[in-house]
Amino acid sequence: MQEDAQVVVPVDVREMTVMETDKGEIHVISEITLGDLLITTSLLAILIFMVLSRVIRR
């Protein structure tokens, strides 16, 4: 007799999206890492500096 396996993940419930389908539930865990934050911040800074340099040249 096989017992149902239970997967335990240390994730806050607020960070998990549950989608219900005909065959069951799909749990999507959303995470943002420090690397994601650094890349996004640097790309945004580059974009702002490019716009400012064009505005200042006029």
Side-chain angles (χ1 to χ4, degrees), residues 10-53:
V11 175
D12 192 5
V13 178
R14 294 173 292 175
E15 299 175 2
M16 189 175 357
T17 303
V18 179
M19 295 181 283
E20 295 183 15
T21 63
D22 294 337
K23 295 185 178 183
E25 293 181 342
I26 300 173
H27 295 259
V28 179
I29 300 170
S30 303
E31 294 181 356
I32 296 177
T33 63
L34 182 59
D36 294 336
L37 280 174
L38 291 175
I39 296 293
T40 304
T41 304
S42 59
L43 287 175
L44 187 61
I46 290 170
L47 183 63
I48 289 172
F49 287 133
M50 287 177 67
V51 170
L52 284 176
S53 68

